[in-house]
Amino acid sequence: PESDPNCRGQDWVRELTAVDLWKYFRRIQLQGSTDQGIVRRAILDATGPDADNPAASSVTPVSPEELTRAFASPDQGSNAIALGRDATQDGSGMLLGNPHQPWYGVGSWYQAHLTIPGEYDAMGAPLKGFPMIGIGFNRDVAWSHTVSVANRFTLFELTLNPDDPLQYEVDGEFRDIVPETVTIRVLLPDGGYEEREHTFYHWEYGLIVNPASVAAAIDPSYAALFDGWPTPRGTVYALRDANIDNLRGIEMWINVGKSRNIRELRDAFKVIGNPLFHTLAADRNGEAFYGEISAIPNITTEKMTECVTGINALARTLTNNAIVILDGNRSECQWGVDEDAPEDSGLFGFSSLPSFLTTEYAANSNDSYWLSNTDMPLEGFPTSMGFIGHEGQQQNLRTQINHAMVAERLAGTDGFDASPGFTLASLQRLMYANRVWGAELVLDDVLTLCGDLEEENTDARRACDVLVDWDRLAEVDSRGTQVFTEFWKALSAGGSEFENAITDQSLWRVDFDPEQPLTTPSGLDLEAEGVAVRVTAALAVAVKALDEAGVPLDRPWGEVQVLPKNGVDIPIHGGSGSMGVFGAISSGLSEGGYRTIRSGNSYIQTVTFDESECPVADAIITTSQSIDPDSPHYADQSELYSRKAWVRMPYCADEIDAARIGEPVEISE
């Protein structure tokens, strides 16, 4: 369209074909695996046998930031709550969907209502470029997704034939590694083109990789152990991706949109087309569903123990099970076979994956399946189904506050409503509560420390003067949220790259207890060696960072965290998920404040059902629907979000007629 500021008139724009759409869908399916930057780099670093390429060992380490983004970014995830009849006041099902997707470009949402009369009628949000509803609702069912951190790929170490570096050994026999040279045209700055080529190397399940750059990011001394063709052990590494041939998601999401109750929705996932999401859903009948029904390599706990050995066991330990490297010399160490899994996929089938139906509730905030309902934990599953927040592991702060807020609402103790149980209004208040769980855990102790600070701790004392009056929220009128944000960032520095909560138990007065995973750790142990010094230093670092950015410490949060649109700074409530804000907003500090929001609260929906045939759905898209600065819909929903307002979604025909703001456009060939 004429209004598109990014694509209109560009010489690379051409007519879209069906093949383009399938290619794009396939790439989206690979976003948790082959399409991650660190995996692509490992593929490109595999440049063939060393004798043919003496420079093969020159790899560039990935940065710690890339590593964190790949495996455990606390702000780029999601929250979801599915409520059954026993958790709502009127006995209907109810759902909150709160994905934390990018705000711009690929991966961002747009709102849509897709109807094929008599066949399909779903409303909600697809990712840009998709023609189907990803998170949404229909007449009887509502669903949402949160990003899962289960393994989506594994590596295999292959022993090479000493007489032929393009062969590897399996069960005493040699198999071929097949080169494939790809040529592309590259646009040059002068407008001309040149051809470039790269050779990729295939084994029977995928591509050969060089993981040395990832190893170097963990510890530079490890890089040489994984580098080279062959490595010092006469081996190479190979990648197998759980989603490389997964185009089943098209069928799956179509059937999700057509489902008439929660059990039909659950059955839609049995094709294992879901690439990397937890699913939470509720229906008109008051039944709710949770499932980690997605593409996960079939690696049992026993196989993990028997087939991950030597230096590869160290890699698994150092990455908290994120990178699993199996013995490629034994066919018994290949992915397993489930009868109800897709043929030849090597994936877990539906019956092996964690899920439940309930009339109570399910909640997830990107930890594993384990505590999706605190009263019925899912246990006995391998770490490959969720290496972050796995059974018995510390839970991230959004998981903790999610369950805490649900428990308070079910007990009627949150102040939203005197009656226990959820209404649509109280679910919306929960979504916009903007509590900072990290502050609820530690701020009292920080303020105790503040009372004992020496005069020379000038910056730390300035932070204390603001935090003592802060409301411990991330509201637009909160004063001090920026101080705690930078304090928490500094306090967290040096923690594990692979977990979302602070895992350094030396900080805490009450250490993490697997028997109390949602309330521990807690309290700062100010008497422990170095803790008071570390907290004081973090306060000072926060003040220095804000001073350097020119941000007053007590300026209202809505003047500090903003979305600039057409010369207007729209106040944005919510805050960093890493410090335990349920409504996560990912925005780095720069000159003047947090003015460049990358991701976080994006498309949000609250859905329930009443006696009518129409679902009752309120939603918001924080970035607004249009990308055209001249459109009246370029900033309208952003301003509504700023005021904690919602848009009633017109689903039924009479609602659509009442809401229509223009004439229908008929598209034909």
Side-chain angles (χ1 to χ4, degrees):
E2 296 286 352
S3 61
D4 190 317
N6 300 314
C7 304
R8 186 70 181 179
Q10 300 295 321
D11 60 7
W12 45 264
V13 175
R14 59 176 171 77
E15 184 176 349
L16 186 73
T17 70
V19 173
D20 292 322
L21 191 61
W22 282 100
K23 285 164 62 179
Y24 176 61
F25 178 77
R26 188 176 195 231
R27 181 171 181 178
I28 293 294
Q29 295 287 87
L30 297 173
Q31 62 185 311
S33 49
T34 295
D35 199 44
Q36 288 191 31
I38 65 169
V39 180
R40 280 186 273 121
R41 183 166 325 169
I43 292 170
L44 293 172
D45 282 345
T47 50
D50 290 353
D52 299 330
N53 184 3
S57 61
S58 57
V59 298
T60 303
V62 300
S63 68
E65 291 74 23
E66 285 180 283
L67 215 55
T68 302
R69 283 196 301 272
F71 296 119
S73 177
D75 297 319
Q76 294 184 27
S78 304
N79 304 307
I81 300 172
L83 303 165
R85 68 179 74 96
D86 295 334
T88 63
Q89 291 185 13
D90 64 3
S92 65
M94 198 174 295
L95 180 96
L96 167 66
N98 173 217
H100 298 158
Q101 284 292 111
W103 277 26
Y104 306 100
V106 175
S108 59
W109 299 107
Y110 69 100
Q111 291 168 308
H113 187 175
L114 178 59
T115 303
I116 302 173
E119 185 173 344
Y120 184 97
D121 190 7
M123 193 174 194
L127 295 177
K128 286 181 178 175
F130 270 61
M132 60 189 181
I133 306 302
I135 287 178
F137 56 92
N138 61 24
R139 191 174 300 273
D140 300 304
V141 183
W143 66 93
S144 193
H145 299 294
T146 66
V147 173
S148 156
V149 288
N151 294 101
R152 305 299 168 185
F153 67 90
T154 66
L155 301 183
F156 290 83
E157 187 174 21
L158 309 177
T159 298
L160 295 177
N161 181 346
D163 298 321
D164 184 350
L166 289 179
Q167 288 188 327
Y168 64 97
E169 182 181 353
V170 181
D171 297 337
E173 298 181 352
F174 291 118
R175 301 180 185 180
D176 291 334
I177 295 173
V178 181
E180 179 189 11
T181 299
V182 175
T183 302
I184 62 170
R185 297 175 71 220
V186 178
L187 178 64
L188 302 175
D190 64 4
Y193 290 88
E194 73 175 19
E195 288 193 345
R196 297 180 189 169
E197 64 179 34
H198 183 88
T199 300
F200 298 89
Y201 295 86
H202 296 262
W203 72 306
E204 60 187 306
Y205 294 110
L207 292 169
I208 303 299
V209 298
N210 182 340
S213 59
V214 179
I218 298 169
D219 188 324
S221 66
Y222 295 137
L225 299 175
F226 295 89
D227 194 14
W229 189 316
T231 69
R233 295 175 304 287
T235 64
V236 292
Y237 286 90
L239 172 73
R240 187 174 183 184
D241 190 321
N243 284 302
I244 200 70
D245 295 316
N246 180 11
L247 295 177
R248 300 177 299 275
I250 292 283
E251 173 191 358
M252 182 200 78
W253 266 297
I254 289 173
N255 288 333
V256 166
K258 294 167 67 172
S259 59
R260 294 168 296 180
N261 55 58
I262 210 70
R263 293 170 188 263
E264 288 187 4
L265 178 140
R266 177 195 61 182
D267 290 345
F269 285 89
K270 291 182 178 179
V271 298
I272 317 297
N274 173 11
L276 71 161
F277 305 115
H278 304 274
T279 300
L280 295 94
D283 69 10
R284 179 182 293 276
N285 301 319
E287 199 164 25
F289 168 75
Y290 163 80
E292 169 47 306
I293 310 300
S294 62
I296 302 174
N298 191 331
I299 310 168
T300 62
T301 301
E302 293 75 18
K303 185 170 292 188
M304 194 84 78
T305 301
E306 295 171 2
C307 295
V308 181
T309 59
I311 188 67
N312 300 325
L314 177 63
R316 177 188 170 203
T317 299
L318 291 174
T319 62
N320 190 41
N321 297 295
I323 296 179
V324 174
I325 306 173
L326 297 155
D327 182 352
N329 297 333
R330 295 181 286 158
S331 57
E332 65 195 55
C333 290
Q334 276 298 331
W335 297 354
V337 177
D338 277 0
E339 290 185 0
D340 57 347
E343 187 175 2
D344 298 325
S345 67
L347 304 179
F348 284 114
F350 178 86
S351 60
S352 297
L353 295 165
S355 70
F356 60 74
L357 295 169
T358 182
T359 56
E360 296 176 352
Y361 86 97
N364 188 273
S365 293
N366 306 120
D367 275 314
S368 80
Y369 54 83
W370 178 34
L371 297 177
S372 293
N373 181 305
T374 55
D375 293 328
M376 47 181 180
L378 294 164
E379 297 180 326
F381 296 92
T383 55
S384 58
M385 294 186 186
F387 58 83
I388 292 176
H390 188 255
E391 299 166 28
Q393 288 187 359
Q394 188 169 332
Q395 304 294 287
N396 77 54
L397 299 190
R398 283 190 295 105
T399 295
Q400 294 180 31
I401 194 172
N402 190 347
H403 286 290
M405 291 193 297
V406 169
E408 291 169 8
R409 176 81 306 264
L410 294 179
T413 59
D414 54 13
F416 296 165
D417 181 341
S419 300
F422 280 88
T423 63
L424 197 65
S426 60
L427 185 61
Q428 292 171 355
R429 288 190 67 180
L430 179 153
M431 174 65 233
Y432 285 160
N434 289 321
R435 291 165 60 180
V436 182
W437 191 248
E440 295 184 32
L441 290 178
V442 307
L443 190 54
D444 286 342
D445 294 315
V446 172
L447 295 178
T448 296
L449 175 68
C450 286
D452 297 327
L453 286 178
E454 301 292 339
E455 288 291 334
E456 60 266 24
N457 291 316
T458 306
D459 287 336
R461 289 171 63 87
R462 288 176 59 203
C464 293
D465 290 343
V466 174
L467 291 175
V468 71
D469 294 322
W470 176 47
D471 61 8
R472 308 185 185 200
L473 302 172
E475 304 279 30
V476 296
D477 58 355
S478 297
R479 295 177 181 268
T481 307
Q482 59 268 39
V483 176
F484 192 82
T485 298
E486 295 304 313
F487 162 75
W488 190 264
K489 186 190 304 181
L491 189 67
S492 303
S496 169
E497 297 291 351
F498 298 96
E499 298 197 54
N500 294 337
I502 293 180
T503 55
D504 182 356
Q505 300 302 313
S506 68
L507 278 172
W508 301 101
R509 186 169 58 251
V510 178
D511 290 345
F512 172 69
D513 180 355
E515 298 299 318
Q516 298 178 303
L518 297 175
T519 56
T520 60
S522 64
L524 293 174
D525 189 358
L526 298 175
E527 302 301 318
E529 182 178 358
V531 172
V533 173
R534 184 171 169 183
V535 172
T536 303
L539 290 168
V541 167
V543 170
K544 286 186 172 70
L546 293 165
D547 283 348
E548 290 174 1
V551 177
L553 305 187
D554 61 349
R555 177 175 289 175
W557 184 234
E559 297 177 19
V560 176
Q561 181 171 263
V562 298
L563 175 62
K565 286 212 167 191
N566 286 342
V568 176
D569 287 345
I570 301 173
I572 298 297
H573 56 85
S576 171
S578 64
M579 67 180 185
V581 180
F582 182 77
I585 299 291
S586 178
S587 56
L589 178 63
S590 58
E591 183 65 30
Y594 303 83
R595 302 181 58 83
T596 305
I597 298 174
R598 300 181 295 271
S599 62
N601 292 339
S602 46
Y603 169 74
I604 311 172
Q605 65 175 23
T606 55
V607 186
T608 189
F609 308 89
D610 58 18
E611 64 282 354
S612 74
E613 292 188 358
C614 305
V616 181
D618 289 339
I620 201 78
I621 187 164
T622 53
T623 53
S624 298
Q625 181 80 327
S626 176
I627 61 172
D628 176 12
D630 294 329
S631 168
H633 307 295
Y634 178 66
D636 55 350
Q637 291 198 57
S638 305
E639 293 169 348
L640 289 174
Y641 170 80
S642 180
R643 304 199 305 268
K644 297 188 175 183
W646 298 83
V647 175
R648 179 57 54 92
M649 301 290 272
Y651 180 86
C652 287
D654 56 345
E655 296 171 330
I656 295 170
D657 288 340
R660 180 177 292 131
I661 59 175
E663 292 303 312
V665 176
E666 184 171 313
I667 300 174
S668 62
E669 291 187 11

